[in-house]
Amino acid sequence: MRSMRRGIKEMDLILSAYADANLETMNEDALARYDSLLHENDQDLYQWVTGQADCPAPYAVLIRDISQVFQK
């Protein structure tokens, strides 16, 4: 639900698509990292996902995965 109710519509669409495709198969560590990511500012998230800004190292793999879903 938190993936769909963001601050900006673009992140609603991107994160809900990612969540639909991946949440069921994520282990506890991946879920914890995703939960932590959801606490980040939408403006920052959008820039990270679209490659406009570098993301923090702990989120690098997750952002790359989200970006791949976004690009499809």
Side-chain angles (χ1 to χ4, degrees), residues 6-12 14-15 36-57 59-60 62-64 66-67 70:
R6 306 295 305 172
I8 60 174
K9 187 65 172 175
E10 291 86 347
M11 289 313 302
D12 291 351
I14 293 167
L15 292 178
S36 177
L37 182 78
L38 292 177
H39 287 89
E40 297 289 339
N41 180 289
D42 270 5
Q43 302 299 335
D44 293 335
L45 286 173
Y46 187 75
Q47 289 185 343
W48 300 340
V49 169
T50 59
Q52 296 176 32
D54 293 332
C55 69
Y59 296 133
L62 182 56
I63 292 295
R64 185 195 70 221
I66 292 170
S67 295
F70 162 67

